[in-house]
Amino acid sequence: MTTPAISVKGLIKRFGEAEVLHGIDLDIPQGQVTCLIGPSGSGKSTLLRCMAFLEEATDGLIFINGEPLGFAPGPQGKPVRLPAARIRAVRSQIGMVFQQFNLWPHMTALGNVSEALKTVHGVRKNEAEERAMIQLKKVGLAERAGHYPSQLSGGQQQRVAIARALALEPKIMLFDEPTSSLDPELTGEVLNVMRSLAADGMTMVVVSHEIGFAAAVCQQIAFLDHGKLLMTGTPQQIFGKPRHPRLDQFLDTYLDRGAAMLV
Amino acid sequence: MNFDTNLIVSIMPELARAFGVTLLTWGVGVIGAAILGFLVAVGRRYGSAWLGYPLWLCVEVIRGTPFLIQLFLLYYGGPFVGLSLEPIPAGLLGLTVYGAAYFSEIFRAGFEAVPPGHVEAAECVGLNRRQIVRRILIPEMTMLVLPASVNMAIILLKETAVLSIITVPELTLVISAIGSQQYAFVESLFLLALFYWGLVELSGRLGRYMEARLSKYRFATA
């Protein structure tokens, strides 16, 4: 068996008194798309942010391609924090896409995508911009390279944000509700980019409310509720009958919304 | 009494010098205050509590007392603690410190207004803390604080008039002296108001021009 792209072991996350993740164990297989679904407050975004080391786990460990992220197993079983340079090195295998896009407003699309190549990796400006253009072409925005974020639609901004993450050639892409701030039409263009990434064999973890996308594109679905992983499996296993009662209840809200659109 | 235009022409050279002093104290004061204010804001944001608390106290005291009194204390009280300054250096120091307290608050708010997600995005692509401050926080903050900074610069311009009380030979001192020598208060004060208003109008326009230039960098919405 190959090493999982991401391996989450016994992950506990507390914010002050409140425990939002109660010991999560989850493997993300190489080259597959995993969707994290669940109601608001179930902890799915927190879990994803822990995988990007944007949140530090209270306890438990995360391995990226077998290497510990942030904390390594310590002598008494207590995780020990790794040095910052080591954390950056492991983290560089991960690309992150946010709900709010988080493009830097003072840089053009091209500037956003080439920034880390120039500043972090010391790539010369010309070469960095050439490499950035390749990524912008991939998301279909080569002709918008000179535009600032304020001059782009939400869908275009999110595609630039995807290109920005891809420019560093990550092995894994994480998506935190990438289409939740977009209207249905713009959602489609972002999902298309994600589909073609998946088709290229990119390992992806997606937190999404797009149940249709989850069913169609993901090989693995993980259903979270109240900080616990209730079930993982293929879309057939998760959505097929018989269903977990909590999942049934969760999916009902989607049916309601779908029905509302027909009225 | 009639409005005497000949008088205005005859005092022009003197006025030009005074105008120069006003411009100098204003320009140096604003730049010094902005730089010092930026350092204070960075110190309070990234420094330890040992640095942060005294800085906070200084800012609070300076913002909580009238500039006139600060200037009196600096110029007339300074010699008692071994700080004897000529009027212009004293005025520059006073204006810089006074302005810095306000600028530091403007910059502090500016840092806080940069969305945390923009910093997270930078962390995710591997920028270290120094690179994030230099490449992301400072440019974004600069856009956010521009209107408040122009406003502060205008306030400081008008505060240069207060420097007359410690005998800095700037516009207000010179023009009111001429006014009392010649018994021409209306002409002199009219001229004085015109000078300040013209400068304020000019800097306001410059500020709006810069804002327009920077508008394409404004925060994007979905």
Side-chain angles (χ1 to χ4, degrees):
Chain A
M1 206 184 114
T2 54
T3 320
I6 303 178
S7 189
V8 178
K9 297 203 183 299
L11 184 71
I12 292 173
K13 176 65 187 174
R14 283 190 209 103
F15 290 110
E17 293 288 291
E19 189 169 296
V20 293
L21 293 175
H22 319 286
I24 303 280
D25 291 287
L26 177 66
D27 280 352
I28 307 295
Q30 300 279 2
Q32 294 190 8
V33 182
T34 300
C35 278
L36 306 180
I37 63 169
S40 301
S42 58
K44 55 194 189 305
S45 275
T46 305
L47 174 57
L48 192 81
R49 288 170 58 82
C50 285
M51 293 177 183
F53 206 60
L54 289 171
E55 304 288 352
E56 293 187 14
T58 310
D59 200 359
L61 293 167
I62 295 175
F63 296 87
I64 306 293
N65 289 315
E67 291 178 82
L69 171 71
F71 294 86
Q76 279 106 41
K78 195 98 184 103
V80 192
R81 203 173 205 287
L82 294 165
R86 183 78 196 285
I87 293 173
R88 272 201 298 275
V90 177
R91 216 181 186 185
S92 70
Q93 303 180 41
I94 291 172
M96 178 84 185
V97 175
F98 300 85
Q99 180 182 352
Q100 300 298 335
F101 328 136
N102 290 333
L103 293 182
W104 303 307
H106 56 295
M107 297 179 194
T108 61
L110 191 67
N112 268 278
V113 181
S114 59
E115 174 62 25
L117 288 171
K118 291 182 289 194
T119 306
V120 182
H121 300 274
V123 178
R124 279 184 30 249
K125 190 166 183 279
N126 285 347
E127 195 198 327
E129 291 186 347
E130 267 171 41
R131 283 166 64 179
M133 272 312 270
I134 294 171
Q135 300 304 331
L136 283 174
K137 274 195 194 111
K138 199 181 276 181
V139 299
L141 284 174
E143 76 285 6
R144 296 292 160 99
H147 286 53
Y148 285 87
S150 64
Q151 300 164 329
L152 297 171
S153 74
Q156 290 169 338
Q157 288 179 56
Q158 191 60 299
R159 283 147 66 198
V160 171
I162 293 172
R164 174 173 68 182
L166 289 176
L168 302 172
E169 293 164 9
K171 301 201 176 79
I172 303 162
M173 286 285 283
L174 307 180
F175 296 83
D176 188 7
E177 303 201 23
T179 60
S180 296
S181 334
L182 301 174
D183 65 37
E185 198 179 342
L186 299 180
T187 295
E189 66 185 50
V190 171
L191 291 183
N192 281 340
V193 168
M194 291 169 65
R195 266 193 203 98
S196 73
L197 264 183
D200 288 347
M202 175 66 82
T203 305
M204 292 162 60
V205 185
V206 185
V207 170
S208 183
H209 292 291
E210 296 290 329
I211 296 297
F213 176 84
V217 180
C218 296
Q219 286 89 11
Q220 176 176 249
I221 291 181
F223 178 59
L224 276 92
D225 190 35
H226 289 109
K228 285 203 180 83
L229 196 57
L230 284 194
M231 56 194 302
T232 45
T234 62
Q236 291 77 12
Q237 289 166 336
I238 296 279
F239 295 130
K241 310 262 173 177
R243 280 189 204 137
H244 192 288
R246 185 66 188 91
L247 179 64
D248 237 359
Q249 200 186 346
F250 173 64
L251 290 177
D252 270 350
T253 64
Y254 282 89
L255 293 179
D256 284 350
R257 238 176 292 163
M261 287 166 84
L262 299 175
V263 174
Chain B
M1 195 184 91
N2 45 4
F3 200 90
D4 188 351
T5 40
N6 286 337
L7 176 72
I8 291 178
V9 174
S10 73
I11 60 175
M12 269 303 171
E14 219 179 328
L15 283 184
R17 261 199 309 280
F19 188 61
V21 173
T22 290
L23 277 185
L24 173 86
T25 48
W26 179 42
V28 175
V30 167
I31 291 168
I35 292 172
L36 184 60
F38 178 76
L39 294 176
V40 170
V42 170
R44 284 182 65 184
R45 188 179 166 91
Y46 296 107
S48 67
W50 293 107
L51 183 65
Y53 185 74
L55 286 178
W56 169 81
L57 194 66
C58 288
V59 168
E60 287 304 298
V61 168
I62 290 163
R63 294 203 307 156
T65 51
F67 181 48
L68 186 73
I69 292 169
Q70 292 166 19
L71 213 53
F72 259 129
L73 283 176
L74 175 66
Y75 185 66
Y76 297 109
F80 291 107
V81 293
L83 186 71
S84 298
L85 292 171
E86 293 295 307
I88 289 183
L92 280 177
L93 180 63
L95 200 64
T96 299
V97 171
Y98 174 74
Y102 286 91
F103 268 116
S104 77
E105 284 294 288
I106 292 173
F107 290 139
R108 185 184 60 79
F111 275 128
E112 281 169 16
V114 174
H118 293 194
V119 174
E120 288 182 349
E123 286 174 10
C124 282
V125 292
L127 272 73
N128 62 32
R129 196 189 210 180
R130 182 181 291 267
Q131 290 164 338
I132 289 173
V133 171
R134 195 165 50 84
R135 301 287 305 168
I136 310 297
L137 281 176
I138 291 179
E140 289 199 25
M141 180 203 67
T142 307
M143 300 182 306
L144 291 167
V145 302
L146 190 67
S149 298
V150 170
N151 207 28
M152 193 60 223
I154 288 172
I155 290 172
L156 287 180
L157 168 62
K158 293 186 286 184
E159 293 290 0
T160 58
V162 178
L163 302 187
S164 60
I165 61 135
I166 59 164
T167 69
V168 174
E170 48 68 68
L171 273 174
T172 303
L173 182 78
V174 169
I175 292 186
S176 34
I178 292 168
S180 23
Q181 283 157 18
Q182 314 268 359
Y183 292 103
F185 294 104
V186 178
E187 288 90 340
S188 56
L189 290 177
F190 173 76
L191 207 58
L192 189 58
L194 215 59
F195 266 122
Y196 284 115
W197 179 63
L199 270 181
V200 166
E201 198 57 33
L202 210 65
S203 41
R205 267 164 206 271
L206 189 69
R208 279 194 294 278
Y209 170 75
M210 276 158 50
E211 275 177 52
R213 280 288 305 271
L214 292 175
S215 71
K216 67 179 176 208
Y217 305 139
R218 75 181 183 276
F219 281 35
T221 47

